[in-house]
Amino acid sequence: MDATFRRLVAACFLNQLGFQAAYFVGIIGCATYVLDAGAAEVSALVFVMNVVMLAGYSAAGALIDAVGPRVVLVASLALPLVAAAVVLAMPVCMVSLLVVAIVMGLAGAAASTAVETFLAYIKK
């Protein structure tokens, strides 16, 4: 295995680890335990994130064609960190969780698409 492939595997692992932690602990956990949200509110957050992910997959393909998978992958890993820092400075509310769900949906879709297309760029 060369260094590029190892970095790609590490980026994929860290992306999934961070996404799942932020999703379950951050979005679902805060909505359920901090805000005492019911099933409808939590489902709405998940629904919005999934719809945004669908749009993000489409946009990520064009973005990767324009700037390459490396730039998209780095940005998609950095964007949730910036969003988390901003949200941590604010009081937890449904609006802040909605913003995080949107950012997570876009970033998760972009990161997944970049990782999946990266191998074609490595072979060149």
Side-chain angles (χ1 to χ4, degrees):
M1 258 194 302
D2 68 342
T4 303
F5 185 72
R6 284 194 301 272
R7 286 192 300 264
L8 181 60
V9 169
C12 185
F13 173 75
L14 291 173
N15 177 54
Q16 282 300 315
L17 182 68
F19 184 86
Q20 295 302 327
Y23 175 69
F24 286 109
V25 175
I27 297 171
I28 304 295
C30 283
T32 303
Y33 297 108
V34 174
L35 299 177
D36 201 27
E41 292 91 357
V42 174
S43 295
L45 285 171
V46 173
F47 176 78
V48 167
M49 188 176 80
N50 286 325
V51 168
V52 169
M53 284 182 88
L54 290 174
Y57 286 124
S58 298
L63 192 58
I64 289 168
D65 288 342
V67 297
R70 180 173 292 178
V71 173
V72 173
L73 183 58
V74 169
S76 67
L77 295 175
L79 185 62
L81 295 174
V82 172
V86 170
V87 169
L88 284 174
M90 301 168 42
V92 176
C93 65
M94 285 304 280
V95 172
S96 64
L97 291 180
L98 182 63
V99 169
V100 170
I102 291 169
V103 170
M104 291 295 299
L106 288 173
S112 295
T113 305
V115 166
E116 291 168 7
T117 61
F118 214 103
L119 291 176
Y121 284 86
I122 292 173
K123 291 181 181 181
K124 287 184 179 182

